[in-house]
């Protein structure tokens, strides 16, 4: 297995762990909000105006947290897929291009394995 393949597998496993624990944090938070809401409604003894306020606040907190998690996850996945698609492919240098005693990276027309330059910035 090449280094690129092992790195891709490691990155995939890391992404799975992040998704798993992020979702766990959202679910635990929702359960905590729900528990506090149920306890608060139970302790209010039927004051309908306050119960509506408590339930509205709980619903807002749960929906905001869920929407934020899903939005951040979607943007993260999109950025990751775009980065993978735009990653330059490393192709092995042809053996005939290298002179005897020289490495293919040192031959004319080949650049060393460095990071590519970032794209030019747009001006507004």
């Amino acid at each position: 297995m090449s280094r690129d393949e092992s790195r891709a597998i490691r990155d995939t496993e890391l992404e799975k762990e992040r998704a798993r624990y992020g979702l766990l944090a959202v679910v635990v938070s929702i359960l905590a909000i729900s528990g506090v809401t149920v306890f608060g409604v139970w302790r209010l003894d039927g004051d309908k105006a306050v119960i509506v306020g408590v339930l509205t606040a709980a619903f807002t907190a749960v929906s905001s947290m869920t929407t934020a998690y899903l939005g951040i996850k979607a943007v993260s996945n999109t950025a990751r897929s775009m980065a993978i698609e735009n990653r330059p492919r490393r192709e092995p240098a042809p053996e005939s291009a290298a002179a005897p005693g020289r490495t293919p990276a040192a031959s004319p027309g080949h650049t060393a394995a460095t990071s590519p330059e970032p794209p030019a910035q747009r001006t507004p």
Side-chain angles (χ1 to χ4, degrees):
M1 188 181 313
S2 71
R3 272 192 339 196
D4 289 338
E5 289 174 354
S6 65
R7 182 176 180 204
I9 291 171
R10 196 172 17 150
D11 288 347
T12 302
E13 291 299 318
L14 177 63
E15 192 61 33
K16 285 181 184 179
E17 292 293 317
R18 285 181 180 166
R20 187 174 296 133
Y21 287 114
L23 185 59
L24 179 67
V26 170
V27 169
V28 168
S29 299
I30 289 172
L31 290 174
I33 291 169
S34 300
V36 168
T37 302
V38 168
F39 180 74
V41 168
W42 173 65
R43 295 292 291 171
L44 289 173
D45 295 327
D47 187 2
K48 290 185 177 30
V50 179
I51 289 174
V52 170
V54 169
L55 291 176
T56 301
F59 179 77
T60 302
V62 168
S63 63
S64 297
M65 186 178 322
T66 305
T67 304
Y69 171 74
L70 294 175
I72 291 168
K73 188 68 183 147
V75 169
S76 173
N77 290 345
T78 302
R80 179 172 168 73
S81 67
M82 288 176 66
I84 289 172
E85 288 175 6
N86 292 334
R87 184 180 297 164
R89 306 245 190 268
R90 292 186 184 175
E91 296 182 19
E95 293 297 323
S96 62
R102 294 177 64 185
T103 61
S107 63
H110 292 287
T111 59
T114 61
S115 61
E117 292 184 28
Q121 299 294 317
R122 292 186 210 172
T123 56

